Amino acid sequence: MNVADAVGRALVAAGVRQVFGVVGSGNFHLTNAMVAAGARFVAARHEGGAATMADAYSRMSGTVAALTVHQGCGLTNAMTGIAEAAKSRTPMVVVAAEVLEPRSNFYVDQEALARAVGAVPVRITSAETAAAQAQGAVATAVRERRTVLLNVPLPVQALEVPLPAAAQQLPSREAVMPDAAEVAALTDLLRRAERPVFVAGRGARGHRQILEALAERSGALLATSAVAHGLFRGNPWSLGISGGFASPRTAELIRAADLIVGWGCALNMWTMRHGQLIGPDATVVQVDDDTSALGAHREIHLGVTGDVGLTASRLLDACGDQQIGYRSIEPGSVRWRDVPYDDSSTADRIDPRTLSIALDDVLPAERVVAVDSGNFMGYPSAYLDVPDENGLCFTQAFQSIGLGLATAIGAALAQPDRLPVAALGDGGALMSAAELDTVRRLGLPMLVVVYNDDAYGAEVHHFGPDGHPLETVTFPPTDIAAIARGYGFEAATVRTVGDLAAVKDWVNGPGSAPLLVDAKVVADQPSWWLEEAFRGH
Ligand SMILES: Cc1ncc(C[n+]2csc(CCOP(=O)(O)OP(=O)(O)O)c2C)c(N)n1
Ligand SMILES: [Mg+2]
């Protein structure tokens, strides 16, 4: 056995079951070794897509996926997706071939690339250490929630390994026990609060039950950040998403809270609308198992270092009597789709709100939604209902456009019983169009919805009002439906609600091909969240 085989085998032994990539000579043997050891490999058409597929798969499956790339250019192509994963603390391993000879065409300082985007570089250095170093890479990804770049130099890959790697235990992250004094301090705050609101973030995913029980006991209302959307779905005291996507009623109720507890949630400028959702007299608490996250985005009154589940459970034990808290009010509807609006649809352009509501009605409840970046992104995020915290995959930590389609692919493979929905702008769709091939090749029953305004709408609305020239950010119409048909999709051009009959037919049909909807949307207004974001800046 050589090092390439040993590394592939060790990665799978350590828990990697799903691999995405683009295979070149440098990662050919590594990839085949992972497949031989039992992993599933999905060939993407661009490494940028492969990186985000692995990221989304890890997020929506709770496992650690791998990305495999060719040395140098394979890795640089993947960097945007790797940056997104690293910023989101996605446990993921990037297995990259590497050349160490600076005169090679493929040479680039791969370690520096990893560091530049917050990924952890690791290198396989010898035959003797190969298996342990590969397993160590997975362990770092899982235990420290990091995106790890595992560099495997070509000369090392070819070395003979004397013994096959021994089987080992799968790494896991240990739950951090909260400090008793910090729990006591939060117990006290919860007991005294009259209008407590819990805002659950990524770290709260998987802890619905205990958080609901504690919220019930302390009379708290429940909200989430965008990355935990769906966590409290169906709870009558759930306010939905906190932040830019919050409905007016949700924002009003959070703004009136006297205690805000962020659970595994950064309470960053997006989730707290640049602080505008925090009332002047509100006490702000953060619970996180990573001490460095406490107070990283805003001033907090109390930080509790601890696992969300363990901390909530300690608090429930300590809280004592049931309290009315914030549950004396009538929350009313907190859904965006119940907010009245003037439908701006014309004969040949559909209002993006009308489009989103109609889609919400026609799509099955069991869905997994991925949203790209752009002016349009608030509509699918706020108007499309999702079944639980694995129903929206939100790869927006780097705010890159072009990740939405690959996100939907990774999420679809992680949640195979759900209808995958990719909501994209025309800019993001055209940037990532190569992965339409991957959707079709995998036979995914995906709906791709393009909110097509023939523009980089975010820029148009940012700069248009000041009278700047917009030729660099506006485009002649592109027939994205025709492009999709070329990739083997069914496709529909949608200008009116009536045109959405095609989606209904597709949902009720055999689903033998994915469907792309090229929705020509009204483009004269910036979306509400973008307007607010501009104001915040
Ligand atoms: C990789 C990348 N390039 C550029 C940008 C800047 N940018 C932000 S939104 C946007 C326009 C996106 O256009 P589209 O996908 O059509 O969505 P729209 O804003 O029109 O709704 C651009 C270019 C970015 N965020 N990411
Ligand atoms: Mg656009």
Side-chain angles (χ1 to χ4, degrees):
M1 177 185 305
N2 63 22
V3 165
D5 294 328
V7 166
R9 184 187 276 226
L11 289 168
V12 175
V16 172
R17 295 287 185 277
Q18 178 68 55
V19 184
F20 299 88
V22 174
V23 171
S25 57
N27 59 331
F28 182 81
H29 294 302
L30 284 164
T31 307
N32 282 343
M34 285 189 268
V35 172
R40 177 183 185 189
F41 176 72
V42 167
R45 285 301 188 184
H46 189 288
E47 290 86 350
T52 296
M53 289 173 206
D55 182 359
Y57 186 92
S58 298
R59 294 187 202 207
M60 293 292 109
S61 68
T63 66
V64 52
L67 160 68
T68 144
V69 294
H70 189 67
Q71 61 272 20
C73 44
L75 180 62
T76 53
N77 261 0
M79 286 316 296
T80 300
I82 295 172
E84 168 62 38
K87 279 170 179 277
S88 296
R89 301 288 298 270
T90 300
M92 163 175 143
V93 179
V94 183
V95 186
E98 188 184 31
V99 290
L100 299 171
E101 166 53 59
R103 281 167 300 188
S104 161
N105 291 80
F106 290 124
Y107 177 79
V108 64
D109 186 343
Q110 298 194 172
E111 198 175 320
L113 281 174
R115 284 194 210 289
V117 299
V120 181
V122 177
R123 179 175 290 132
I124 302 288
T125 52
S126 72
E128 292 69 33
T129 55
Q133 287 171 326
Q135 288 171 348
V138 181
T140 300
V142 173
R143 297 203 181 111
E144 296 173 34
R145 282 198 301 251
R146 299 296 294 271
T147 298
V148 177
L149 171 60
L150 180 64
N151 288 314
V152 196
L154 294 178
V156 180
Q157 281 191 38
L159 298 176
E160 279 299 309
V161 176
L163 288 171
Q168 60 136 35
Q169 268 196 323
L170 296 187
S172 61
R173 184 180 167 88
E174 231 169 273
V176 179
M177 190 66 78
D179 174 77
E182 289 173 357
V183 169
L186 181 47
T187 305
D188 194 44
L189 289 172
L190 278 176
R191 275 209 199 111
R192 283 191 285 137
E194 286 170 14
R195 294 176 309 284
V197 172
F198 290 178
V199 185
R202 191 195 323 275
R205 295 170 76 233
H207 298 293
R208 172 177 183 152
Q209 246 183 333
I210 187 72
L211 286 173
E212 281 185 332
L214 181 65
E216 162 103 44
R217 181 76 61 83
S218 44
L221 304 185
L222 293 155
T224 71
S225 67
V227 289
H229 183 38
L231 181 62
F232 302 119
R233 189 186 181 279
N235 185 305
W237 301 101
S238 168
L239 304 178
I241 303 181
S242 171
F245 301 155
S247 71
R249 179 64 174 151
T250 294
E252 179 185 33
L253 289 169
I254 298 174
R255 218 178 274 125
D258 63 348
L259 175 66
I260 291 176
V261 186
W263 294 92
C265 177
L267 301 177
N268 64 22
M269 64 175 176
W270 301 107
T271 307
M272 291 291 111
R273 274 194 202 174
H274 300 272
Q276 288 160 26
L277 293 185
I278 302 175
D281 302 319
T283 300
V284 180
V285 180
Q286 231 186 313
V287 179
D288 204 293
D289 70 358
D290 179 354
T291 307
S292 71
L294 300 174
H297 285 267
R298 64 186 57 261
E299 251 183 77
I300 54 174
H301 301 91
L302 172 67
V304 178
T305 302
D307 172 74
V308 166
L310 282 179
T311 305
S313 147
R314 288 286 149 103
L315 283 158
L316 190 61
D317 293 341
C319 254
D321 301 340
Q322 177 82 34
Q323 280 172 274
I324 300 284
Y326 214 159
R327 298 191 173 191
S328 58
I329 55 125
E330 180 54 57
S333 175
V334 295
R335 301 193 314 167
W336 259 114
R337 58 170 294 162
D338 296 333
V339 176
Y341 66 95
D342 291 328
D343 191 328
S344 64
S345 302
T346 64
D348 54 11
R349 294 246 162 212
I350 188 166
D351 185 310
R353 295 165 292 191
T354 307
L355 167 68
S356 305
I357 290 169
L359 285 172
D360 192 41
D361 288 339
V362 76
L363 297 176
E366 282 297 314
R367 53 179 90 148
V368 56
V369 179
V371 182
D372 209 321
S373 204
N375 174 60
F376 79 95
M377 71 190 279
Y379 301 113
S381 304
Y383 286 81
L384 295 186
D385 193 18
V386 297
D388 60 22
E389 74 268 36
N390 289 319
L392 174 69
C393 194
F394 199 67
T395 44
Q396 296 289 338
F398 202 16
Q399 252 178 47
S400 173
I401 66 166
L403 305 188
L405 180 57
T407 299
I409 296 171
L413 294 172
Q415 299 283 327
D417 297 332
R418 292 183 169 176
L419 180 85
V421 179
L424 318 175
D426 49 308
L430 291 168
M431 185 178 274
S432 62
E435 302 308 345
L436 293 172
D437 176 72
T438 306
V439 176
R440 177 65 182 132
R441 191 164 20 91
L442 291 175
L444 294 172
M446 185 182 290
L447 174 66
V448 177
V449 183
V450 182
Y451 289 71
N452 188 352
D453 62 353
D454 303 313
Y456 292 152
E459 281 65 27
V460 167
H461 298 304
H462 195 162
F463 299 108
D466 293 332
H468 296 288
L470 297 173
E471 286 73 24
T472 54
V473 289
T474 50
F475 298 87
T478 301
D479 187 350
I480 299 180
I483 292 172
R485 285 189 199 102
Y487 279 102
F489 273 60
E490 289 178 20
T493 301
V494 167
R495 297 180 179 278
T496 64
V497 172
D499 294 337
L500 284 167
V503 181
K504 207 173 198 168
D505 292 346
W506 179 79
V507 166
N508 296 324
S512 48
L515 175 71
L516 182 137
V517 168
D518 182 8
K520 311 292 190 186
V521 294
V522 175
D524 52 2
Q525 294 272 333
S527 72
W528 83 98
W529 79 268
L530 192 72
E531 252 182 328
E532 260 166 22
F534 292 158
R535 242 183 278 138
H537 286 291

PDB file of all heavy atoms in Angstrom, residues 214-227:
ATOM      1  N   LEU A 214     -37.147  24.892  28.483  1.00  0.00           N
ATOM      2  CA  LEU A 214     -36.669  26.005  29.307  1.00  0.00           C
ATOM      3  C   LEU A 214     -37.426  27.296  28.990  1.00  0.00           C
ATOM      4  O   LEU A 214     -37.763  28.075  29.896  1.00  0.00           O
ATOM      5  CB  LEU A 214     -35.158  26.207  29.079  1.00  0.00           C
ATOM      6  CG  LEU A 214     -34.531  27.320  29.900  1.00  0.00           C
ATOM      7  CD1 LEU A 214     -34.592  27.006  31.395  1.00  0.00           C
ATOM      8  CD2 LEU A 214     -33.077  27.562  29.477  1.00  0.00           C
ATOM      9  N   ALA A 215     -37.721  27.498  27.718  1.00  0.00           N
ATOM     10  CA  ALA A 215     -38.466  28.698  27.317  1.00  0.00           C
ATOM     11  C   ALA A 215     -39.858  28.672  27.913  1.00  0.00           C
ATOM     12  O   ALA A 215     -40.379  29.683  28.394  1.00  0.00           O
ATOM     13  CB  ALA A 215     -38.525  28.789  25.794  1.00  0.00           C
ATOM     14  N   GLU A 216     -40.465  27.511  27.891  1.00  0.00           N
ATOM     15  CA  GLU A 216     -41.797  27.331  28.474  1.00  0.00           C
ATOM     16  C   GLU A 216     -41.771  27.682  29.963  1.00  0.00           C
ATOM     17  O   GLU A 216     -42.589  28.434  30.478  1.00  0.00           O
ATOM     18  CB  GLU A 216     -42.194  25.869  28.253  1.00  0.00           C
ATOM     19  CG  GLU A 216     -43.304  25.364  29.128  1.00  0.00           C
ATOM     20  CD  GLU A 216     -44.609  25.300  28.355  1.00  0.00           C
ATOM     21  OE1 GLU A 216     -44.575  24.838  27.219  1.00  0.00           O
ATOM     22  OE2 GLU A 216     -45.640  25.748  28.909  1.00  0.00           O
ATOM     23  N   ARG A 217     -40.773  27.131  30.664  1.00  0.00           N
ATOM     24  CA  ARG A 217     -40.673  27.351  32.105  1.00  0.00           C
ATOM     25  C   ARG A 217     -40.445  28.827  32.424  1.00  0.00           C
ATOM     26  O   ARG A 217     -40.973  29.359  33.386  1.00  0.00           O
ATOM     27  CB  ARG A 217     -39.505  26.515  32.645  1.00  0.00           C
ATOM     28  CG  ARG A 217     -39.285  26.625  34.145  1.00  0.00           C
ATOM     29  CD  ARG A 217     -40.305  25.823  34.940  1.00  0.00           C
ATOM     30  NE  ARG A 217     -40.265  24.401  34.648  1.00  0.00           N
ATOM     31  CZ  ARG A 217     -39.395  23.553  35.219  1.00  0.00           C
ATOM     32  NH1 ARG A 217     -38.506  23.997  36.081  1.00  0.00           N
ATOM     33  NH2 ARG A 217     -39.416  22.277  34.912  1.00  0.00           N
ATOM     34  N   SER A 218     -39.646  29.487  31.595  1.00  0.00           N
ATOM     35  CA  SER A 218     -39.301  30.875  31.932  1.00  0.00           C
ATOM     36  C   SER A 218     -40.138  31.894  31.163  1.00  0.00           C
ATOM     37  O   SER A 218     -39.902  33.091  31.261  1.00  0.00           O
ATOM     38  CB  SER A 218     -37.804  31.114  31.727  1.00  0.00           C
ATOM     39  OG  SER A 218     -37.377  30.545  30.532  1.00  0.00           O
ATOM     40  N   GLY A 219     -41.092  31.415  30.385  1.00  0.00           N
ATOM     41  CA  GLY A 219     -41.976  32.341  29.682  1.00  0.00           C
ATOM     42  C   GLY A 219     -41.286  33.088  28.556  1.00  0.00           C
ATOM     43  O   GLY A 219     -41.611  34.243  28.266  1.00  0.00           O
ATOM     44  N   ALA A 220     -40.337  32.430  27.901  1.00  0.00           N
ATOM     45  CA  ALA A 220     -39.570  33.107  26.840  1.00  0.00           C
ATOM     46  C   ALA A 220     -40.195  32.873  25.471  1.00  0.00           C
ATOM     47  O   ALA A 220     -40.811  31.834  25.221  1.00  0.00           O
ATOM     48  CB  ALA A 220     -38.131  32.602  26.843  1.00  0.00           C
ATOM     49  N   LEU A 221     -40.025  33.842  24.596  1.00  0.00           N
ATOM     50  CA  LEU A 221     -40.363  33.663  23.184  1.00  0.00           C
ATOM     51  C   LEU A 221     -39.124  33.123  22.490  1.00  0.00           C
ATOM     52  O   LEU A 221     -37.998  33.304  22.961  1.00  0.00           O
ATOM     53  CB  LEU A 221     -40.799  34.985  22.558  1.00  0.00           C
ATOM     54  CG  LEU A 221     -41.964  35.712  23.248  1.00  0.00           C
ATOM     55  CD1 LEU A 221     -42.375  36.943  22.436  1.00  0.00           C
ATOM     56  CD2 LEU A 221     -43.161  34.777  23.441  1.00  0.00           C
ATOM     57  N   LEU A 222     -39.337  32.475  21.328  1.00  0.00           N
ATOM     58  CA  LEU A 222     -38.244  31.762  20.661  1.00  0.00           C
ATOM     59  C   LEU A 222     -37.986  32.325  19.270  1.00  0.00           C
ATOM     60  O   LEU A 222     -38.919  32.488  18.491  1.00  0.00           O
ATOM     61  CB  LEU A 222     -38.611  30.282  20.543  1.00  0.00           C
ATOM     62  CG  LEU A 222     -38.708  29.520  21.874  1.00  0.00           C
ATOM     63  CD1 LEU A 222     -39.629  28.311  21.736  1.00  0.00           C
ATOM     64  CD2 LEU A 222     -37.315  29.097  22.327  1.00  0.00           C
ATOM     65  N   ALA A 223     -36.732  32.595  18.992  1.00  0.00           N
ATOM     66  CA  ALA A 223     -36.359  33.025  17.637  1.00  0.00           C
ATOM     67  C   ALA A 223     -35.069  32.316  17.256  1.00  0.00           C
ATOM     68  O   ALA A 223     -34.443  31.672  18.097  1.00  0.00           O
ATOM     69  CB  ALA A 223     -36.165  34.540  17.598  1.00  0.00           C
ATOM     70  N   THR A 224     -34.693  32.433  15.996  1.00  0.00           N
ATOM     71  CA  THR A 224     -33.421  31.828  15.549  1.00  0.00           C
ATOM     72  C   THR A 224     -32.663  32.831  14.691  1.00  0.00           C
ATOM     73  O   THR A 224     -33.226  33.805  14.195  1.00  0.00           O
ATOM     74  CB  THR A 224     -33.643  30.568  14.682  1.00  0.00           C
ATOM     75  OG1 THR A 224     -34.173  30.982  13.409  1.00  0.00           O
ATOM     76  CG2 THR A 224     -34.565  29.557  15.332  1.00  0.00           C
ATOM     77  N   SER A 225     -31.388  32.563  14.514  1.00  0.00           N
ATOM     78  CA  SER A 225     -30.654  33.263  13.462  1.00  0.00           C
ATOM     79  C   SER A 225     -30.977  32.541  12.147  1.00  0.00           C
ATOM     80  O   SER A 225     -31.611  31.478  12.157  1.00  0.00           O
ATOM     81  CB  SER A 225     -29.152  33.223  13.744  1.00  0.00           C
ATOM     82  OG  SER A 225     -28.684  31.896  13.640  1.00  0.00           O
ATOM     83  N   ALA A 226     -30.532  33.095  11.028  1.00  0.00           N
ATOM     84  CA  ALA A 226     -30.875  32.491   9.729  1.00  0.00           C
ATOM     85  C   ALA A 226     -30.329  31.062   9.625  1.00  0.00           C
ATOM     86  O   ALA A 226     -30.994  30.185   9.077  1.00  0.00           O
ATOM     87  CB  ALA A 226     -30.344  33.344   8.584  1.00  0.00           C
ATOM     88  N   VAL A 227     -29.139  30.800  10.175  1.00  0.00           N
ATOM     89  CA  VAL A 227     -28.551  29.460  10.003  1.00  0.00           C
ATOM     90  C   VAL A 227     -29.240  28.400  10.865  1.00  0.00           C
ATOM     91  O   VAL A 227     -28.952  27.218  10.716  1.00  0.00           O
ATOM     92  CB  VAL A 227     -27.024  29.434  10.274  1.00  0.00           C
ATOM     93  CG1 VAL A 227     -26.270  30.137   9.172  1.00  0.00           C
ATOM     94  CG2 VAL A 227     -26.688  30.013  11.633  1.00  0.00           C
TER      95      VAL A 227
END
